[in-house]
Amino acid sequence: GKNMGEGHAMCAAKCAKGGLPIGIVDKEKNIYVVVTKDHKPTNLNEDLMANMAKQVSITGKVFRLKGLHLIEMESVKPMM
């Protein structure tokens, strides 16, 4: 879509730096809101922002809350 991919990377990074939640999309086009454990600041968001619009591998706990897909991110690595 128009709100994903390389064309949206700069806008997404600006919003994320402004404190808005980061969303990721999986292969099946499910959208996940990225959260951190205990909602504490972490450098993982910076790692994710450095890879906006790129394919990454994220580890963490996936769950649903009131219809939203969430991932409590533990690590992020760029895909080769």
Side-chain angles (χ1 to χ4, degrees), residues 5-68:
E6 289 295 327
H8 187 64
M10 287 180 60
C11 180
K14 183 178 178 181
C15 288
K17 286 178 186 175
L20 294 175
I22 297 174
I24 60 170
V25 181
D26 68 11
K27 291 178 183 177
E28 289 79 33
K29 305 290 186 203
N30 295 307
I31 299 171
Y32 293 82
V33 176
V34 178
V35 297
T36 56
K37 189 171 181 138
D38 301 322
H39 305 286
K40 292 183 180 177
T42 174
N43 66 342
L44 290 173
N45 274 351
E46 291 179 20
D47 293 342
L48 194 53
M49 283 190 287
N51 290 288
M52 286 288 184
K54 298 176 184 169
Q55 289 188 358
V56 294
S57 174
I58 294 178
T59 60
K61 180 181 173 186
V62 174
F63 55 100
R64 288 184 60 118
L65 178 65
K66 297 184 180 181
L68 293 174

